[in-house]
Amino acid sequence: MVELPLIARARAHEERIAIHADGRSYCYADLLRRSETIAAVLLDGRADLREERVAFMAPPGFDYAALQWGIWRAGGIAVPLSTQVTARELDHVLGDSDIKLILTTPAYASKLDPGPRRLLVIEEGTRAECSLPDIAATRRAMILYTSGTTSKPKGVVSTHANLQAQIEALVNAWEWSAEDRIPLFLPLHHIHGIINVLGCALWSGAMIEAFPRFDAELILPRVKADAYTLFMAVPTIYAKLVDLLGDGASDLAAAFGRMRLMVSGSAALPAGLHRRWHDLTGQHLLERYGMTETGMILSNPLQGERRPGAVGQPLPGVEVRLRSESGETLHGEHEPGEIQVRGPAVFSEYWQLPEITAASFEDGWFHTGDMGVMEDGYYRILGRLSVDIIKSGGYKLSALEIEAALLDHPAIRECAVVGLEDATWGETVAVAAVPEASAPPLVLTELQHWAKDRLSPYKLPRHLMLVEQLPRNAMGKVAKREVATLFTDGPCA
Ligand code: MLC
Ligand code: AMP
């Protein structure tokens, strides 16, 4: 039988605790048994799901891992759903990936309106067994929806081989072992949580302590008790922790300092925050850079200098090049170019978007849309090519998607969404809107309230400015950089 390496490896750690959540501990044997049950229920007499897409919703924890493994072991493609998704966003994901079945747990069943699809709630006591199909590494394993330069999020399809390469690169570079213990509080519809935390930990036989969200009151006492050897978070979380730690030395700061490794990524870690964290805790954060389509690409070293403001060198198995605007490969230092990536970790396609997929690659090199430069042997990220991508709290947001949603508001005739720099969130969402003449004056809180059925909470605008017209360039296109400057001088609603 051809078993996924992730599953085969778990058999070597059956008695070890895999996941601790809600006051309960689950060992690797529990995860193997539960995922086998889920696979058998999914198969329901069939031999193989043959890459049928199965959506699932569960908070970080044992159920999430069991559902993910169950779908994989039955031969399906796992489509994880955000627990904060709105009905409209859900409609897009389920329709786009042609989902017929949604899996969830009793606690989440009432949050989901499956429409014409089947909603299967896996109850705790369910038991089922059957022979499971062979799963070749070349099969497609997962679709993650990513916002970008199109108004609707695109499905990023990764094979089992892609995911394995993404995990192995990190396990090797950061020396994961079965002795590691890590808190998991990041959302599990994005790779930071799915691959860097859940995937690497379960691959290594390590222990995860899961929390439904980043809840400092629950997590910090565990940090103080030396419950973890590793910690992985987005810069916003480190900014919030710096505020919580205050100025002086403390037991908590010392406990952070004792961890084997603390990693930051998903957005730029300001050099000042890196230094401040070191001053407070004695811990040099390891900053790395990655993307849903590729897994992690660049990383500061585990051993050696972790340079503030830089993202290090390519991870094992990942090839990186910088390309100039005219398409030349840049070999020198201090020459900025687009970061392009090649290797076994790079995704296979955007789901049912062959043209966009083809346009994103050149001779096997994936175009990240991020600009970088090499300085004294370390890559540094300079920013994105597109002004329509916003990174807030580590979430990638599409200005176009937010604009499309806001344009449905009866008081908005036109609008432009931009990201404004923010010390805690990296960027925050700001909207400049041309109001409908006949409509009552629009205020931010009312707009947020109206939009919350359409957009996930982290996509909601945080600033609003009403303008008579949007700044445009000679071609008539909205000049986004000028829109951003409106907020730096003008009053916001
Ligand atoms: C929430 N708020 C925001 C906001 N999000 N304000 C501005 N900008 C935002 N983005 C507001 C809320 O409305 C609320 O306001 C208040 O801030 C607190 O919200 P919260 O939800 O309680 O915040 P918190 O739970 O602390 O969440 C912050 C966070 C979370 C950073 C923990 O955003 C998070 O988990 N981010 C990680 C996302 C992630 O995993 N990205 C990886 C993508 S993969 P009020 O008024 O209601 O109190 C990737 C590849 C790679 O990028 O390289 O890893
Ligand atoms: P996502 O598409 O959600 O996977 O987000 C990937 C994007 O996050 C990248 O293309 C970068 O723009 C950004 N990103 C990730 N890590 C870093 C980092 N360390 N520094 C700057 N940007 C980052």
Side-chain angles (χ1 to χ4, degrees):
M1 178 185 177
V2 183
E3 206 167 39
L4 288 170
L6 185 65
I7 308 295
R9 291 174 66 91
R11 298 195 189 285
H13 308 288
E14 284 202 358
E15 301 312 318
R16 296 186 73 91
I17 293 175
I19 298 178
H20 184 84
D22 307 321
R24 289 171 67 175
S25 293
Y26 304 89
C27 59
Y28 280 84
D30 295 327
L31 197 46
L32 287 166
R33 254 194 311 273
R34 186 96 181 119
S35 57
E36 183 175 353
T37 291
I38 292 163
V41 170
L42 283 174
L43 286 166
D44 192 22
R46 287 179 287 175
D48 189 330
L49 289 187
R50 298 190 179 286
E51 296 193 349
E52 178 183 326
R53 275 77 54 215
V54 181
F56 68 112
M57 182 186 282
F62 176 71
D63 288 328
Y64 181 101
L67 290 171
Q68 183 198 56
W69 284 22
I71 296 166
W72 285 347
R73 296 180 79 183
I77 299 181
V79 184
L81 301 173
S82 159
T83 54
Q84 295 184 288
V85 74
T86 65
R88 284 182 180 219
E89 293 165 336
L90 186 64
D91 237 29
H92 169 65
V93 169
L94 299 181
D96 189 71
S97 51
D98 189 20
I99 297 288
K100 297 188 178 62
L101 176 66
I102 309 170
L103 281 181
T104 191
T105 59
Y108 277 78
S110 62
K111 292 192 185 225
L112 273 164
D113 174 7
R117 299 165 182 97
R118 197 170 144 225
L119 180 67
L120 187 59
V121 181
I122 306 281
E123 304 284 346
E124 181 150 359
T126 316
R127 283 266 175 281
E129 276 178 28
C130 72
S131 67
L132 298 177
D134 288 350
I135 310 293
T138 48
R139 279 223 203 173
R140 295 178 289 189
M142 185 162 76
I143 303 182
L144 294 183
Y145 277 81
T146 181
S147 295
T149 47
T150 47
S151 127
K152 293 280 184 195
K154 304 189 285 283
V156 174
V157 184
S158 304
T159 63
H160 287 287
N162 296 150
L163 301 185
Q164 184 174 332
Q166 294 177 11
I167 290 172
E168 282 185 304
L170 296 185
V171 167
N172 293 335
W174 299 343
E175 297 179 8
W176 274 87
S177 84
E179 302 308 316
D180 279 315
R181 305 179 303 275
I182 188 165
L184 169 59
F185 42 74
L186 293 170
L188 290 182
H189 59 297
H190 287 306
I191 57 160
H192 195 160
I194 299 173
I195 297 295
N196 300 23
V197 184
L198 186 72
C200 287
L202 297 181
W203 180 269
S204 307
M207 194 203 86
I208 292 163
E209 189 161 50
F211 300 87
R213 51 186 283 277
F214 179 72
D215 184 339
E217 273 183 36
L218 295 179
I219 297 165
L220 298 186
R222 300 288 296 145
V223 169
K224 230 183 198 173
D226 289 326
Y228 313 123
T229 59
L230 292 171
F231 195 92
M232 296 190 190
V234 297
T236 299
I237 289 179
Y238 289 111
K240 288 179 176 233
L241 288 175
V242 162
D243 289 344
L244 276 169
L245 283 174
D247 281 335
S250 67
D251 292 351
L252 181 59
F256 276 121
R258 284 193 295 273
M259 280 190 212
R260 167 173 101 68
L261 173 66
M262 298 189 73
V263 180
S264 174
S266 299
L269 177 72
L273 181 54
H274 182 128
R275 294 198 180 96
R276 182 90 189 105
W277 189 259
H278 180 252
D279 292 345
L280 283 170
T281 66
Q283 176 80 245
H284 278 295
L285 293 175
L286 182 154
E287 184 174 6
R288 59 47 176 193
Y289 155 83
M291 202 172 177
T292 305
E293 286 87 336
T294 59
M296 296 305 107
I297 301 167
L298 298 161
S299 169
N300 273 280
L302 182 67
Q303 315 294 346
E305 185 198 359
R306 298 183 193 159
R307 193 178 294 171
V311 289
Q313 293 89 24
L315 279 155
V318 183
E319 284 180 87
V320 174
R321 71 179 186 189
L322 294 179
R323 294 279 271 189
S324 71
E325 231 174 297
S326 55
E328 288 160 83
T329 302
L330 304 167
H331 297 286
E333 293 224 327
H334 308 286
E335 289 185 89
E338 187 193 13
I339 301 172
Q340 300 191 347
V341 185
R342 193 166 69 171
V346 178
F347 77 126
S348 66
E349 80 227 72
Y350 291 113
W351 178 252
Q352 291 188 331
L353 293 171
E355 277 137 37
I356 296 183
T357 305
S360 310
F361 284 88
E362 186 195 331
D363 302 331
W365 290 87
F366 172 67
H367 302 189
T368 62
D370 290 312
M371 292 290 289
V373 67
M374 171 69 94
E375 290 169 350
D376 304 323
Y378 280 59
Y379 282 92
R380 189 160 67 83
I381 308 298
L382 296 171
R384 290 173 300 272
L385 283 169
S386 167
V387 286
D388 287 320
I389 291 175
I390 299 168
K391 265 269 164 168
S392 185
Y395 283 108
K396 186 183 203 178
L397 313 178
S398 160
L400 304 178
E401 182 190 352
I402 300 172
E403 284 163 8
L406 298 182
L407 276 175
D408 281 344
H409 192 287
I412 295 182
R413 186 182 330 149
E414 276 188 295
C415 69
V417 165
V418 292
L420 299 185
E421 248 182 68
D422 184 276
T424 301
W425 297 96
E427 288 177 294
T428 51
V429 176
V431 54
V434 179
E436 284 293 355
S438 54
L442 190 62
V443 292
L444 179 64
T445 45
E446 190 275 327
L447 182 63
Q448 288 173 329
H449 183 74
W450 173 88
K452 77 182 174 15
D453 292 337
R454 293 162 170 83
L455 296 166
S456 290
Y458 49 84
K459 299 179 187 171
L460 293 176
R462 310 286 158 180
H463 309 277
L464 167 69
M465 177 174 290
L466 300 178
V467 291
E468 278 176 24
Q469 55 184 23
L470 296 172
R472 293 184 185 273
N473 63 18
M475 314 288 289
K477 240 186 115 195
V478 173
K480 286 281 176 97
R481 294 189 208 278
E482 273 184 55
V483 173
T485 59
L486 290 177
F487 288 87
T488 41
D489 356 279
C492 297

